[in-house]
Amino acid sequence: MEHATGLVLPNSGHNRDAEASKMGMWLFLFTELLLFGGLFLVYMVYRMLNAEAFLLASFELNIALGTINTVVLLVSSMTIAMAITAIQKGDRKTSVLLLYVTVALSLVFMVIKFFEWSAKINYGYFPGMEVYQNLPAGESLFFFLYFFMTSLHALHVIIGAVFIAVVIYRTNKGFVTAEKYTLTENAGLYWHLVDLIWIFLFPLLYLIH
Amino acid sequence: MEHKNEQPNEAQGHHISSYKEHFSTLAALLLLTVLTVAVSVFGADLRSLSVATALLIATIKALVVAYYFMHLKYEHKLYRWLLLVVVLLFVLFLVVTSIEYLNR
């Protein structure tokens, strides 16, 4: 890099700033919270207007599968938090192993979600299907929101898994070390957000009877 | 293992949470999950109460995740203030919208 004035800046290309990077991730997570917040707002309003219908429709969801998926996400949150502990201690092998476990758990979550969605689609509850069209207005709204919110969440699960896969690759390449682990931390923050959203989706969709 | 709990305002992420701490956090979260499912399954007749408890338990779980897994407890307090502002903003949306709909 050349400067016409010949001035050399004290910062010569080393632009790593762990704190700013982490703050950037948190600010992004706040926008994510408000994105899902908007959907929770819509859910609240429609629920107030269609209390009985939402209640009836929510009985169609499988509490057992929802609970298993909650446990899967909570465990995966712990494994990625432990992966950060491991890399902070300089234990790259354990860190990578825990990241692999986290990705594996994200796949388990998606497979269970896939079976849940398939069951609902087989009943014809997917927006646009015949059974869905003939449901009372409030119940079809519930299923619309169910599919919209869980699939937006699932999209975040997939993005999170890809993010973690990138961290595994970078860690194996030696770019992530005990002194430089912001990438792992940020992947962890993102993954915990995915968990946080599910912590609210699960009771609102499955449990509130 | 180093514990610098006394200095939560440390600028860089010096704090290293132990594996044990993460495991205890998970145990607490699983316990709360069992509790919320039990309230829903066995307390179905107490309808509005079960909505309130479900949301209360979800909020506690979210705070546990944020404080321990996301290290919020050990970060600079600016992070906690920012989160508080965002959450209050969202609660304001909820309250204002509810008032609007309940007065129709």
Side-chain angles (χ1 to χ4, degrees), chain A residues 53 55-62 115-148 150:
Chain A
L55 184 67
L56 279 175
S58 74
F59 279 119
E60 295 297 318
L61 298 188
N62 189 326
F115 282 114
E116 271 192 271
W117 280 331
S118 314
K120 297 294 162 291
I121 291 167
N122 280 337
Y123 281 126
Y125 289 146
F126 192 76
M129 294 176 99
E130 212 179 322
V131 177
Y132 173 89
Q133 304 282 26
N134 295 322
L135 281 174
E139 287 181 47
S140 56
L141 264 174
F142 178 87
F143 284 111
F144 183 86
L145 282 173
Y146 167 76
F147 279 111
F148 197 102
T150 55

mmCIF file of all heavy atoms in Angstrom, chain A residues 53 55-62 115-148 150:
data_model
loop_
_atom_site.group_PDB
_atom_site.id
_atom_site.type_symbol
_atom_site.label_atom_id
_atom_site.label_comp_id
_atom_site.label_asym_id
_atom_site.label_seq_id
_atom_site.Cartn_x
_atom_site.Cartn_y
_atom_site.Cartn_z
ATOM 1 N N ALA A 53 -58.892 -21.524 18.460
ATOM 2 C CA ALA A 53 -58.386 -22.213 17.272
ATOM 3 C C ALA A 53 -56.901 -22.541 17.431
ATOM 4 O O ALA A 53 -56.453 -23.637 17.067
ATOM 5 C CB ALA A 53 -58.601 -21.353 16.028
ATOM 6 N N LEU A 55 -55.353 -23.061 20.180
ATOM 7 C CA LEU A 55 -55.280 -24.131 21.164
ATOM 8 C C LEU A 55 -55.516 -25.484 20.488
ATOM 9 O O LEU A 55 -54.711 -26.421 20.628
ATOM 10 C CB LEU A 55 -56.337 -23.877 22.229
ATOM 11 C CG LEU A 55 -56.365 -24.823 23.409
ATOM 12 C CD1 LEU A 55 -55.111 -24.635 24.241
ATOM 13 C CD2 LEU A 55 -57.603 -24.576 24.254
ATOM 14 N N LEU A 56 -56.611 -25.572 19.710
ATOM 15 C CA LEU A 56 -56.943 -26.829 19.026
ATOM 16 C C LEU A 56 -55.824 -27.252 18.086
ATOM 17 O O LEU A 56 -55.402 -28.409 18.079
ATOM 18 C CB LEU A 56 -58.238 -26.653 18.218
ATOM 19 C CG LEU A 56 -59.534 -26.767 19.012
ATOM 20 C CD1 LEU A 56 -60.718 -26.463 18.114
ATOM 21 C CD2 LEU A 56 -59.656 -28.175 19.600
ATOM 22 N N ALA A 57 -55.323 -26.288 17.284
ATOM 23 C CA ALA A 57 -54.299 -26.613 16.293
ATOM 24 C C ALA A 57 -53.002 -27.051 16.968
ATOM 25 O O ALA A 57 -52.322 -27.956 16.492
ATOM 26 C CB ALA A 57 -54.055 -25.411 15.381
ATOM 27 N N SER A 58 -52.669 -26.429 18.123
ATOM 28 C CA SER A 58 -51.399 -26.755 18.768
ATOM 29 C C SER A 58 -51.395 -28.188 19.303
ATOM 30 O O SER A 58 -50.335 -28.790 19.466
ATOM 31 C CB SER A 58 -51.075 -25.767 19.896
ATOM 32 O OG SER A 58 -51.883 -26.019 21.019
ATOM 33 N N PHE A 59 -52.597 -28.752 19.546
ATOM 34 C CA PHE A 59 -52.662 -30.144 20.000
ATOM 35 C C PHE A 59 -52.181 -31.114 18.920
ATOM 36 O O PHE A 59 -51.870 -32.266 19.210
ATOM 37 C CB PHE A 59 -54.087 -30.513 20.426
ATOM 38 C CG PHE A 59 -54.420 -30.047 21.818
ATOM 39 C CD1 PHE A 59 -55.450 -29.149 22.035
ATOM 40 C CD2 PHE A 59 -53.689 -30.497 22.912
ATOM 41 C CE1 PHE A 59 -55.751 -28.707 23.316
ATOM 42 C CE2 PHE A 59 -53.983 -30.062 24.194
ATOM 43 C CZ PHE A 59 -55.022 -29.162 24.403
ATOM 44 N N GLU A 60 -52.167 -30.655 17.646
ATOM 45 C CA GLU A 60 -51.729 -31.515 16.545
ATOM 46 C C GLU A 60 -50.210 -31.727 16.571
ATOM 47 O O GLU A 60 -49.712 -32.661 15.964
ATOM 48 C CB GLU A 60 -52.116 -30.889 15.204
ATOM 49 C CG GLU A 60 -53.611 -30.785 14.974
ATOM 50 C CD GLU A 60 -54.264 -32.159 14.919
ATOM 51 O OE1 GLU A 60 -53.672 -33.057 14.297
ATOM 52 O OE2 GLU A 60 -55.343 -32.324 15.516
ATOM 53 N N LEU A 61 -49.475 -30.841 17.255
ATOM 54 C CA LEU A 61 -48.016 -30.969 17.245
ATOM 55 C C LEU A 61 -47.564 -32.044 18.227
ATOM 56 O O LEU A 61 -48.226 -32.309 19.228
ATOM 57 C CB LEU A 61 -47.361 -29.628 17.589
ATOM 58 C CG LEU A 61 -47.637 -28.480 16.624
ATOM 59 C CD1 LEU A 61 -46.784 -27.277 16.979
ATOM 60 C CD2 LEU A 61 -47.377 -28.881 15.185
ATOM 61 N N ASN A 62 -46.432 -32.646 17.891
ATOM 62 C CA ASN A 62 -45.909 -33.760 18.679
ATOM 63 C C ASN A 62 -44.973 -33.246 19.780
ATOM 64 O O ASN A 62 -43.824 -32.872 19.521
ATOM 65 C CB ASN A 62 -45.160 -34.695 17.730
ATOM 66 C CG ASN A 62 -44.771 -35.991 18.397
ATOM 67 O OD1 ASN A 62 -44.474 -36.026 19.586
ATOM 68 N ND2 ASN A 62 -44.789 -37.065 17.627
ATOM 69 N N PHE A 115 -39.015 -35.183 9.854
ATOM 70 C CA PHE A 115 -40.088 -36.150 10.092
ATOM 71 C C PHE A 115 -41.345 -35.456 10.602
ATOM 72 O O PHE A 115 -42.464 -35.821 10.233
ATOM 73 C CB PHE A 115 -39.630 -37.238 11.065
ATOM 74 C CG PHE A 115 -38.767 -38.271 10.398
ATOM 75 C CD1 PHE A 115 -37.432 -38.423 10.731
ATOM 76 C CD2 PHE A 115 -39.308 -39.083 9.400
ATOM 77 C CE1 PHE A 115 -36.634 -39.358 10.090
ATOM 78 C CE2 PHE A 115 -38.521 -40.032 8.754
ATOM 79 C CZ PHE A 115 -37.179 -40.164 9.108
ATOM 80 N N GLU A 116 -41.151 -34.448 11.466
ATOM 81 C CA GLU A 116 -42.308 -33.704 11.983
ATOM 82 C C GLU A 116 -43.048 -33.002 10.845
ATOM 83 O O GLU A 116 -44.260 -33.076 10.745
ATOM 84 C CB GLU A 116 -41.824 -32.645 12.976
ATOM 85 C CG GLU A 116 -41.718 -33.123 14.396
ATOM 86 C CD GLU A 116 -41.531 -31.947 15.315
ATOM 87 O OE1 GLU A 116 -40.375 -31.568 15.532
ATOM 88 O OE2 GLU A 116 -42.533 -31.387 15.782
ATOM 89 N N TRP A 117 -42.269 -32.291 10.006
ATOM 90 C CA TRP A 117 -42.893 -31.587 8.883
ATOM 91 C C TRP A 117 -43.605 -32.577 7.963
ATOM 92 O O TRP A 117 -44.733 -32.329 7.550
ATOM 93 C CB TRP A 117 -41.828 -30.835 8.078
ATOM 94 C CG TRP A 117 -41.389 -29.527 8.668
ATOM 95 C CD1 TRP A 117 -42.126 -28.684 9.444
ATOM 96 C CD2 TRP A 117 -40.098 -28.909 8.517
ATOM 97 N NE1 TRP A 117 -41.373 -27.581 9.785
ATOM 98 C CE2 TRP A 117 -40.133 -27.692 9.236
ATOM 99 C CE3 TRP A 117 -38.923 -29.258 7.832
ATOM 100 C CZ2 TRP A 117 -39.042 -26.822 9.284
ATOM 101 C CZ3 TRP A 117 -37.848 -28.392 7.891
ATOM 102 C CH2 TRP A 117 -37.908 -27.200 8.610
ATOM 103 N N SER A 118 -42.936 -33.712 7.654
ATOM 104 C CA SER A 118 -43.542 -34.697 6.747
ATOM 105 C C SER A 118 -44.887 -35.155 7.284
ATOM 106 O O SER A 118 -45.860 -35.268 6.531
ATOM 107 C CB SER A 118 -42.647 -35.919 6.581
ATOM 108 O OG SER A 118 -41.338 -35.523 6.367
ATOM 109 N N ALA A 119 -44.942 -35.419 8.607
ATOM 110 C CA ALA A 119 -46.198 -35.889 9.196
ATOM 111 C C ALA A 119 -47.291 -34.844 8.995
ATOM 112 O O ALA A 119 -48.415 -35.179 8.607
ATOM 113 C CB ALA A 119 -45.991 -36.184 10.683
ATOM 114 N N LYS A 120 -46.957 -33.570 9.241
ATOM 115 C CA LYS A 120 -47.953 -32.505 9.098
ATOM 116 C C LYS A 120 -48.366 -32.354 7.632
ATOM 117 O O LYS A 120 -49.533 -32.130 7.319
ATOM 118 C CB LYS A 120 -47.411 -31.165 9.612
ATOM 119 C CG LYS A 120 -47.083 -31.158 11.093
ATOM 120 C CD LYS A 120 -48.309 -31.320 11.945
ATOM 121 C CE LYS A 120 -47.956 -31.759 13.356
ATOM 122 N NZ LYS A 120 -47.431 -33.158 13.437
ATOM 123 N N ILE A 121 -47.392 -32.489 6.721
ATOM 124 C CA ILE A 121 -47.698 -32.326 5.299
ATOM 125 C C ILE A 121 -48.558 -33.501 4.828
ATOM 126 O O ILE A 121 -49.491 -33.334 4.038
ATOM 127 C CB ILE A 121 -46.400 -32.191 4.471
ATOM 128 C CG1 ILE A 121 -45.740 -30.844 4.801
ATOM 129 C CG2 ILE A 121 -46.669 -32.289 2.977
ATOM 130 C CD1 ILE A 121 -44.321 -30.679 4.310
ATOM 131 N N ASN A 122 -48.296 -34.712 5.393
ATOM 132 C CA ASN A 122 -49.126 -35.868 5.038
ATOM 133 C C ASN A 122 -50.572 -35.675 5.440
ATOM 134 O O ASN A 122 -51.492 -36.153 4.772
ATOM 135 C CB ASN A 122 -48.582 -37.137 5.694
ATOM 136 C CG ASN A 122 -47.414 -37.697 4.909
ATOM 137 O OD1 ASN A 122 -47.285 -37.416 3.708
ATOM 138 N ND2 ASN A 122 -46.557 -38.455 5.569
ATOM 139 N N TYR A 123 -50.781 -34.963 6.576
ATOM 140 C CA TYR A 123 -52.151 -34.662 6.999
ATOM 141 C C TYR A 123 -52.773 -33.577 6.115
ATOM 142 O O TYR A 123 -53.975 -33.342 6.175
ATOM 143 C CB TYR A 123 -52.173 -34.170 8.452
ATOM 144 C CG TYR A 123 -52.074 -35.252 9.486
ATOM 145 C CD1 TYR A 123 -51.098 -35.196 10.470
ATOM 146 C CD2 TYR A 123 -52.979 -36.310 9.497
ATOM 147 C CE1 TYR A 123 -51.003 -36.183 11.434
ATOM 148 C CE2 TYR A 123 -52.884 -37.303 10.461
ATOM 149 C CZ TYR A 123 -51.899 -37.234 11.425
ATOM 150 O OH TYR A 123 -51.815 -38.206 12.383
ATOM 151 N N GLY A 124 -51.941 -32.868 5.374
ATOM 152 C CA GLY A 124 -52.450 -31.800 4.511
ATOM 153 C C GLY A 124 -52.490 -30.448 5.182
ATOM 154 O O GLY A 124 -53.247 -29.563 4.766
ATOM 155 N N TYR A 125 -51.662 -30.258 6.212
ATOM 156 C CA TYR A 125 -51.670 -28.991 6.942
ATOM 157 C C TYR A 125 -50.751 -27.932 6.345
ATOM 158 O O TYR A 125 -50.655 -26.835 6.870
ATOM 159 C CB TYR A 125 -51.255 -29.211 8.407
ATOM 160 C CG TYR A 125 -52.279 -29.936 9.225
ATOM 161 C CD1 TYR A 125 -51.896 -30.803 10.248
ATOM 162 C CD2 TYR A 125 -53.645 -29.747 8.999
ATOM 163 C CE1 TYR A 125 -52.832 -31.474 11.013
ATOM 164 C CE2 TYR A 125 -54.583 -30.414 9.760
ATOM 165 C CZ TYR A 125 -54.183 -31.273 10.762
ATOM 166 O OH TYR A 125 -55.113 -31.921 11.513
ATOM 167 N N PHE A 126 -50.044 -28.286 5.261
ATOM 168 C CA PHE A 126 -49.135 -27.296 4.686
ATOM 169 C C PHE A 126 -49.941 -26.248 3.928
ATOM 170 O O PHE A 126 -50.900 -26.585 3.233
ATOM 171 C CB PHE A 126 -48.121 -27.966 3.755
ATOM 172 C CG PHE A 126 -46.988 -27.060 3.370
ATOM 173 C CD1 PHE A 126 -45.962 -26.788 4.266
ATOM 174 C CD2 PHE A 126 -46.959 -26.456 2.119
ATOM 175 C CE1 PHE A 126 -44.926 -25.937 3.919
ATOM 176 C CE2 PHE A 126 -45.925 -25.598 1.765
ATOM 177 C CZ PHE A 126 -44.900 -25.345 2.670
ATOM 178 N N PRO A 127 -49.593 -24.951 4.087
ATOM 179 C CA PRO A 127 -50.362 -23.890 3.415
ATOM 180 C C PRO A 127 -50.551 -24.177 1.932
ATOM 181 O O PRO A 127 -49.589 -24.504 1.235
ATOM 182 C CB PRO A 127 -49.496 -22.649 3.627
ATOM 183 C CG PRO A 127 -48.782 -22.917 4.904
ATOM 184 C CD PRO A 127 -48.537 -24.398 4.936
ATOM 185 N N GLY A 128 -51.810 -24.092 1.476
ATOM 186 C CA GLY A 128 -52.116 -24.315 0.073
ATOM 187 C C GLY A 128 -52.733 -25.680 -0.176
ATOM 188 O O GLY A 128 -53.404 -25.892 -1.185
ATOM 189 N N MET A 129 -52.519 -26.650 0.744
ATOM 190 C CA MET A 129 -53.087 -27.977 0.537
ATOM 191 C C MET A 129 -54.583 -27.963 0.846
ATOM 192 O O MET A 129 -55.087 -27.055 1.506
ATOM 193 C CB MET A 129 -52.360 -28.997 1.426
ATOM 194 C CG MET A 129 -50.912 -29.189 1.021
ATOM 195 S SD MET A 129 -50.044 -30.297 2.135
ATOM 196 C CE MET A 129 -50.121 -31.819 1.203
ATOM 197 N N GLU A 130 -55.279 -29.004 0.375
ATOM 198 C CA GLU A 130 -56.737 -28.995 0.460
ATOM 199 C C GLU A 130 -57.242 -28.964 1.910
ATOM 200 O O GLU A 130 -58.124 -28.180 2.249
ATOM 201 C CB GLU A 130 -57.293 -30.221 -0.257
ATOM 202 C CG GLU A 130 -58.650 -29.928 -0.875
ATOM 203 C CD GLU A 130 -59.190 -31.144 -1.611
ATOM 204 O OE1 GLU A 130 -58.380 -31.855 -2.254
ATOM 205 O OE2 GLU A 130 -60.409 -31.360 -1.535
ATOM 206 N N VAL A 131 -56.670 -29.833 2.758
ATOM 207 C CA VAL A 131 -57.103 -29.871 4.160
ATOM 208 C C VAL A 131 -56.885 -28.507 4.803
ATOM 209 O O VAL A 131 -57.736 -27.986 5.528
ATOM 210 C CB VAL A 131 -56.331 -30.961 4.941
ATOM 211 C CG1 VAL A 131 -56.722 -30.961 6.406
ATOM 212 C CG2 VAL A 131 -56.588 -32.321 4.316
ATOM 213 N N TYR A 132 -55.719 -27.912 4.510
ATOM 214 C CA TYR A 132 -55.380 -26.598 5.064
ATOM 215 C C TYR A 132 -56.409 -25.561 4.653
ATOM 216 O O TYR A 132 -56.876 -24.767 5.472
ATOM 217 C CB TYR A 132 -53.983 -26.203 4.574
ATOM 218 C CG TYR A 132 -53.563 -24.791 4.920
ATOM 219 C CD1 TYR A 132 -52.911 -24.515 6.109
ATOM 220 C CD2 TYR A 132 -53.804 -23.737 4.034
ATOM 221 C CE1 TYR A 132 -52.512 -23.228 6.422
ATOM 222 C CE2 TYR A 132 -53.414 -22.440 4.338
ATOM 223 C CZ TYR A 132 -52.769 -22.191 5.530
ATOM 224 O OH TYR A 132 -52.385 -20.909 5.841
ATOM 225 N N GLN A 133 -56.805 -25.596 3.361
ATOM 226 C CA GLN A 133 -57.763 -24.598 2.852
ATOM 227 C C GLN A 133 -59.099 -24.688 3.575
ATOM 228 O O GLN A 133 -59.797 -23.688 3.725
ATOM 229 C CB GLN A 133 -58.019 -24.817 1.343
ATOM 230 C CG GLN A 133 -56.774 -24.790 0.482
ATOM 231 C CD GLN A 133 -56.254 -23.400 0.209
ATOM 232 O OE1 GLN A 133 -56.495 -22.482 0.998
ATOM 233 N NE2 GLN A 133 -55.534 -23.243 -0.895
ATOM 234 N N ASN A 134 -59.462 -25.923 4.015
ATOM 235 C CA ASN A 134 -60.775 -26.105 4.636
ATOM 236 C C ASN A 134 -60.751 -25.987 6.156
ATOM 237 O O ASN A 134 -61.780 -26.152 6.799
ATOM 238 C CB ASN A 134 -61.353 -27.466 4.234
ATOM 239 C CG ASN A 134 -61.615 -27.517 2.735
ATOM 240 O OD1 ASN A 134 -62.044 -26.521 2.157
ATOM 241 N ND2 ASN A 134 -61.315 -28.642 2.112
ATOM 242 N N LEU A 135 -59.567 -25.718 6.727
ATOM 243 C CA LEU A 135 -59.486 -25.540 8.181
ATOM 244 C C LEU A 135 -60.170 -24.223 8.560
ATOM 245 O O LEU A 135 -60.224 -23.304 7.745
ATOM 246 C CB LEU A 135 -58.019 -25.458 8.619
ATOM 247 C CG LEU A 135 -57.216 -26.750 8.748
ATOM 248 C CD1 LEU A 135 -55.766 -26.404 9.050
ATOM 249 C CD2 LEU A 135 -57.780 -27.642 9.829
ATOM 250 N N PRO A 136 -60.699 -24.146 9.810
ATOM 251 C CA PRO A 136 -61.186 -22.852 10.286
ATOM 252 C C PRO A 136 -60.046 -21.835 10.208
ATOM 253 O O PRO A 136 -58.876 -22.207 10.387
ATOM 254 C CB PRO A 136 -61.569 -23.122 11.742
ATOM 255 C CG PRO A 136 -61.712 -24.595 11.846
ATOM 256 C CD PRO A 136 -60.829 -25.204 10.811
ATOM 257 N N ALA A 137 -60.391 -20.562 9.950
ATOM 258 C CA ALA A 137 -59.368 -19.529 9.691
ATOM 259 C C ALA A 137 -58.255 -19.517 10.739
ATOM 260 O O ALA A 137 -57.077 -19.470 10.390
ATOM 261 C CB ALA A 137 -60.032 -18.165 9.608
ATOM 262 N N GLY A 138 -58.625 -19.591 12.034
ATOM 263 C CA GLY A 138 -57.621 -19.497 13.091
ATOM 264 C C GLY A 138 -56.637 -20.650 13.058
ATOM 265 O O GLY A 138 -55.437 -20.461 13.273
ATOM 266 N N GLU A 139 -57.141 -21.862 12.760
ATOM 267 C CA GLU A 139 -56.254 -23.028 12.749
ATOM 268 C C GLU A 139 -55.276 -22.983 11.581
ATOM 269 O O GLU A 139 -54.114 -23.346 11.715
ATOM 270 C CB GLU A 139 -57.070 -24.325 12.720
ATOM 271 C CG GLU A 139 -57.738 -24.595 14.055
ATOM 272 C CD GLU A 139 -58.540 -25.879 14.056
ATOM 273 O OE1 GLU A 139 -58.034 -26.910 13.583
ATOM 274 O OE2 GLU A 139 -59.691 -25.842 14.532
ATOM 275 N N SER A 140 -55.768 -22.525 10.407
ATOM 276 C CA SER A 140 -54.841 -22.444 9.278
ATOM 277 C C SER A 140 -53.773 -21.388 9.560
ATOM 278 O O SER A 140 -52.610 -21.561 9.190
ATOM 279 C CB SER A 140 -55.578 -22.158 7.970
ATOM 280 O OG SER A 140 -56.336 -20.993 8.083
ATOM 281 N N LEU A 141 -54.153 -20.310 10.255
ATOM 282 C CA LEU A 141 -53.162 -19.296 10.641
ATOM 283 C C LEU A 141 -52.076 -19.909 11.514
ATOM 284 O O LEU A 141 -50.886 -19.636 11.347
ATOM 285 C CB LEU A 141 -53.839 -18.177 11.435
ATOM 286 C CG LEU A 141 -54.261 -16.946 10.663
ATOM 287 C CD1 LEU A 141 -55.035 -16.002 11.569
ATOM 288 C CD2 LEU A 141 -53.043 -16.262 10.073
ATOM 289 N N PHE A 142 -52.508 -20.758 12.459
ATOM 290 C CA PHE A 142 -51.531 -21.404 13.341
ATOM 291 C C PHE A 142 -50.538 -22.219 12.524
ATOM 292 O O PHE A 142 -49.331 -22.123 12.721
ATOM 293 C CB PHE A 142 -52.228 -22.306 14.363
ATOM 294 C CG PHE A 142 -51.253 -23.029 15.271
ATOM 295 C CD1 PHE A 142 -50.800 -22.437 16.435
ATOM 296 C CD2 PHE A 142 -50.782 -24.300 14.942
ATOM 297 C CE1 PHE A 142 -49.895 -23.088 17.263
ATOM 298 C CE2 PHE A 142 -49.868 -24.962 15.763
ATOM 299 C CZ PHE A 142 -49.432 -24.349 16.925
ATOM 300 N N PHE A 143 -51.064 -23.025 11.587
ATOM 301 C CA PHE A 143 -50.157 -23.861 10.803
ATOM 302 C C PHE A 143 -49.280 -23.031 9.885
ATOM 303 O O PHE A 143 -48.115 -23.365 9.655
ATOM 304 C CB PHE A 143 -50.924 -24.932 10.019
ATOM 305 C CG PHE A 143 -51.362 -26.042 10.915
ATOM 306 C CD1 PHE A 143 -52.704 -26.226 11.197
ATOM 307 C CD2 PHE A 143 -50.428 -26.866 11.512
ATOM 308 C CE1 PHE A 143 -53.103 -27.236 12.055
ATOM 309 C CE2 PHE A 143 -50.820 -27.875 12.376
ATOM 310 C CZ PHE A 143 -52.160 -28.058 12.648
ATOM 311 N N PHE A 144 -49.832 -21.913 9.367
ATOM 312 C CA PHE A 144 -49.013 -21.019 8.541
ATOM 313 C C PHE A 144 -47.830 -20.518 9.368
ATOM 314 O O PHE A 144 -46.678 -20.599 8.952
ATOM 315 C CB PHE A 144 -49.836 -19.840 8.022
ATOM 316 C CG PHE A 144 -49.051 -18.947 7.113
ATOM 317 C CD1 PHE A 144 -48.949 -19.230 5.764
ATOM 318 C CD2 PHE A 144 -48.377 -17.845 7.625
ATOM 319 C CE1 PHE A 144 -48.190 -18.423 4.925
ATOM 320 C CE2 PHE A 144 -47.609 -17.032 6.793
ATOM 321 C CZ PHE A 144 -47.519 -17.323 5.437
ATOM 322 N N LEU A 145 -48.144 -20.023 10.577
ATOM 323 C CA LEU A 145 -47.072 -19.499 11.440
ATOM 324 C C LEU A 145 -46.116 -20.600 11.858
ATOM 325 O O LEU A 145 -44.902 -20.402 11.937
ATOM 326 C CB LEU A 145 -47.682 -18.824 12.676
ATOM 327 C CG LEU A 145 -48.234 -17.420 12.427
ATOM 328 C CD1 LEU A 145 -48.973 -16.912 13.649
ATOM 329 C CD2 LEU A 145 -47.121 -16.459 12.046
ATOM 330 N N TYR A 146 -46.675 -21.806 12.133
ATOM 331 C CA TYR A 146 -45.822 -22.939 12.514
ATOM 332 C C TYR A 146 -44.784 -23.206 11.432
ATOM 333 O O TYR A 146 -43.580 -23.271 11.702
ATOM 334 C CB TYR A 146 -46.669 -24.190 12.762
ATOM 335 C CG TYR A 146 -45.860 -25.468 12.851
ATOM 336 C CD1 TYR A 146 -45.119 -25.764 13.985
ATOM 337 C CD2 TYR A 146 -45.828 -26.367 11.782
ATOM 338 C CE1 TYR A 146 -44.352 -26.913 14.057
ATOM 339 C CE2 TYR A 146 -45.076 -27.520 11.850
ATOM 340 C CZ TYR A 146 -44.339 -27.797 12.980
ATOM 341 O OH TYR A 146 -43.582 -28.934 13.047
ATOM 342 N N PHE A 147 -45.244 -23.346 10.186
ATOM 343 C CA PHE A 147 -44.307 -23.639 9.102
ATOM 344 C C PHE A 147 -43.354 -22.476 8.860
ATOM 345 O O PHE A 147 -42.155 -22.676 8.641
ATOM 346 C CB PHE A 147 -45.061 -23.995 7.811
ATOM 347 C CG PHE A 147 -45.524 -25.415 7.788
ATOM 348 C CD1 PHE A 147 -46.871 -25.732 7.868
ATOM 349 C CD2 PHE A 147 -44.604 -26.445 7.683
ATOM 350 C CE1 PHE A 147 -47.294 -27.050 7.859
ATOM 351 C CE2 PHE A 147 -45.015 -27.770 7.668
ATOM 352 C CZ PHE A 147 -46.363 -28.074 7.756
ATOM 353 N N PHE A 148 -43.875 -21.250 8.913
ATOM 354 C CA PHE A 148 -43.030 -20.087 8.637
ATOM 355 C C PHE A 148 -41.927 -19.957 9.692
ATOM 356 O O PHE A 148 -40.746 -19.829 9.365
ATOM 357 C CB PHE A 148 -43.883 -18.810 8.613
ATOM 358 C CG PHE A 148 -43.195 -17.649 7.948
ATOM 359 C CD1 PHE A 148 -43.521 -17.284 6.659
ATOM 360 C CD2 PHE A 148 -42.209 -16.933 8.616
ATOM 361 C CE1 PHE A 148 -42.874 -16.222 6.037
ATOM 362 C CE2 PHE A 148 -41.553 -15.871 8.001
ATOM 363 C CZ PHE A 148 -41.886 -15.518 6.711
ATOM 364 N N THR A 150 -40.846 -22.183 12.070
ATOM 365 C CA THR A 150 -39.912 -23.302 12.216
ATOM 366 C C THR A 150 -38.978 -23.398 11.005
ATOM 367 O O THR A 150 -37.814 -23.770 11.162
ATOM 368 C CB THR A 150 -40.628 -24.653 12.417
ATOM 369 O OG1 THR A 150 -41.541 -24.850 11.347
ATOM 370 C CG2 THR A 150 -41.359 -24.705 13.734
#
